[in-house]
Amino acid sequence: MPLGIFSKCQPAPECGCLKQREVFMKTVGVVGLGDMGSGLAKNLIGNGFQTWGLDLSKDRMAQFEEMGGTPAHSPAEIGAQSDCVFVMVMNGDQAKSVILGSDGLVANMSPDGTIILTATIKPAEAQSIGRAMEGSGVHLIDSPVSGGFAGAQNGTLTMMAAADAAVLDANASVMNAVSATIHHVGTKAGDGQTMKACLQTLIGSIFSATFEASALAAKAGVPGGALLRVFSTSGAGCGVANTALEHIIDRQFEGTGSHISTMHKDLTISLELASNLGVPMHTASAAMQIFQAGKSKYPDGDNWVCTRVIEDIVGAQLHRNPEGST
């Protein structure tokens, strides 16, 4: 099967589509039930999969159980109970511990089980995990995702999946439960993370340009609603910029499901990869400094809070409607 793109479809039973080749309903696990992982769990449960879950937060575990999930007490328990496990943790060290630890997934999953690494980590870390799993009989799909909180909750994520085609084929229904589009971007561990690093340089740069444009408009007295209408219907309009601007003009800087620490981490990964490969990254480096400023001043904020740093400097704020209007 060549590398390519697979979209959701509803084929007849005889269709050979990637989506319809599983002959039994898998039991699925999710390690990490935060903004993204809770969305994975929600859609797996909604698609009829028995779903085990694990998170360090008692509140998240309670919410997971309320939506119909089965709580686990360790990665080992999830591994022993699941045919396929999503790993949606924050960084590479956590991923290695969950997957490779003595109480981890690989040591407790049955042969032919599959781990889907949806967390965004360094490509080299994913490669290391892949090497360590060789000979275990457990498969790894290196598949970071894009689509943010809304995509996770709505089951419309884009997956950048790297694994043998047969492994993707065997886990198609599970992956389709949480995504709208699956891109087959490679066959080796690390291929998915490399694609995600490239993507995040673009997304981070669009975000930072939107933050600066918003502060410029605020200082110039341009109403936020008008700015959004123009941006969203122009050649520059895109989901990334539109979403950022919506949150900025409505002054929603926390609790939107896009914590600033995540993009800060992702840009760190992108810039490290670029440094290792000798690739200059002028725009992404500038974006990183904007996110560093936002994270330093407003550590509890979401991505859009970077705008407040610039607004604080210029002494103006961008609102949807002009001051005094309704």
Side-chain angles (χ1 to χ4, degrees):
M1 182 185 297
L3 306 188
I5 180 173
F6 305 103
S7 300
K8 285 187 181 291
C9 65
Q10 298 294 329
E14 67 273 17
C15 175
C17 172
L18 180 71
K19 312 310 181 193
Q20 294 292 317
R21 296 184 190 171
E22 290 173 272
V23 296
F24 67 96
M25 184 68 80
K26 293 180 181 291
T27 298
V28 187
V30 181
V31 180
L33 298 169
D35 290 332
M36 300 297 289
S38 64
L40 299 180
K42 169 188 171 184
N43 286 288
L44 289 165
I45 293 167
N47 278 272
F49 292 97
Q50 181 181 357
T51 305
W52 289 72
L54 177 66
D55 196 277
L56 295 176
S57 167
K58 292 182 179 179
D59 288 342
R60 290 173 180 169
M61 289 292 285
Q63 292 166 6
F64 169 71
E65 193 168 7
E66 287 175 3
M67 70 172 70
T70 304
H73 299 93
S74 68
E77 185 177 9
I78 284 191
Q81 296 293 337
S82 303
D83 303 299
C84 174
V85 180
F86 289 86
V87 176
M88 185 62 91
V89 293
M90 187 62 182
N91 56 50
D93 287 341
Q94 292 174 355
K96 288 181 179 180
S97 177
V98 165
I99 294 170
L100 302 174
S102 58
D103 190 36
L105 298 174
V106 172
N108 292 279
M109 291 185 76
S110 299
D112 283 334
T114 301
I115 295 168
I116 305 179
L117 179 59
T118 48
T120 298
I121 64 175
K122 298 176 183 178
E125 291 172 326
Q127 292 164 4
S128 176
I129 291 170
R131 288 192 297 268
M133 289 177 61
E134 290 177 359
S136 67
V138 178
H139 304 292
L140 176 67
I141 300 176
D142 175 23
S143 185
V145 300
S146 183
F149 178 74
Q153 296 296 320
N154 295 326
T156 57
L157 291 169
T158 293
M159 304 189 77
M160 293 154 266
D164 288 340
V167 177
L168 293 182
D169 189 34
N171 292 277
S173 67
V174 174
M175 296 172 72
N176 277 292
V178 303
S179 67
T181 307
I182 303 168
H183 294 278
H184 190 186
V185 300
T187 59
K188 305 182 301 298
D191 289 349
Q193 301 297 335
T194 299
M195 181 66 76
K196 180 66 181 287
C198 295
L199 177 63
Q200 293 306 84
T201 63
L202 177 61
I203 291 178
S205 298
I206 294 172
F207 273 152
S208 62
T210 305
F211 305 153
E212 291 184 334
S214 296
L216 176 63
K219 188 65 175 180
V222 175
L227 189 70
L228 176 62
R229 289 192 295 274
V230 171
F231 278 18
S232 62
T233 57
S234 73
C238 65
V240 173
N242 296 348
T243 296
L245 191 51
E246 287 270 11
H247 289 306
I248 292 165
I249 65 178
D250 287 333
R251 316 307 292 173
Q252 297 174 337
F253 296 118
E254 292 185 18
T256 66
S258 297
H259 197 277
I260 192 171
S261 61
T262 301
M263 179 56 73
H264 182 274
K265 177 207 69 173
D266 290 358
L267 284 174
T268 300
I269 292 171
S270 299
L271 292 173
E272 180 176 312
L273 177 63
S275 178
N276 292 340
L277 295 175
V279 179
M281 303 288 282
H282 301 101
T283 304
S285 295
M288 178 63 172
Q289 292 307 309
I290 291 176
F291 278 93
Q292 181 64 66
K295 185 173 181 288
S296 296
K297 187 163 185 181
Y298 299 106
D300 296 326
D302 291 345
N303 291 324
W304 350 109
V305 82
C306 295
T307 308
R308 290 191 61 190
V309 177
I310 308 173
E311 290 178 340
D312 291 345
I313 294 171
V314 303
Q317 295 182 348
L318 189 67
H319 293 262
R320 181 176 290 272
N321 298 311
E323 187 175 355
S325 65
T326 59

